Amino acid sequence: MATKEKNIWILLVFLLAGLVIGGLLGKLASGVPWLWWLSYEQSFGLESPLLLDFKVLELTLGLMLNINVASIIGMGLAIFIYKKV
């Protein structure tokens, strides 16, 4: 069971690395005319944070994901590399 949990954590690290590296490459590709499509981006999440006020405790929750085409390709490559390793 420890091996399966370890594999899930390694997969999560690979996916996050693919997301970050792909996002960075997408931002860099936005200046190249023939690679503009890699920087096409879509945002998901809460535009304004959710505020929970309990008078004693106040929580502000928010989450915004900006995913571009290069990030999706990076996550696909991360899954491919994970399966090969």
Side-chain angles (χ1 to χ4, degrees):
M1 184 157 184
T3 308
K4 187 172 184 173
E5 289 177 10
K6 182 179 177 185
N7 288 340
I8 291 172
W9 286 108
I10 292 173
L11 176 61
L12 183 63
V13 168
F14 272 52
L15 285 175
L16 288 175
L19 185 69
V20 170
I21 292 170
L24 175 65
L25 291 176
K27 294 289 183 186
L28 293 173
S30 66
V32 181
W34 54 280
L35 290 177
W36 65 268
W37 57 275
L38 286 175
S39 65
Y40 180 75
E41 185 174 88
Q42 187 67 39
S43 298
F44 302 98
L46 300 171
E47 291 201 11
S48 60
L50 177 66
L51 178 66
L52 299 174
D53 188 5
F54 298 114
K55 300 296 178 198
V56 177
L57 178 67
E58 186 176 299
L59 294 173
T60 305
L61 304 171
L63 179 67
M64 183 63 75
L65 296 173
N66 295 322
I67 298 177
N68 60 23
V69 174
S71 296
I72 295 170
I73 293 171
M75 289 188 342
L77 284 172
I79 292 171
F80 178 76
I81 292 169
Y82 172 77
K83 288 187 176 188
K84 292 293 181 184
V85 171

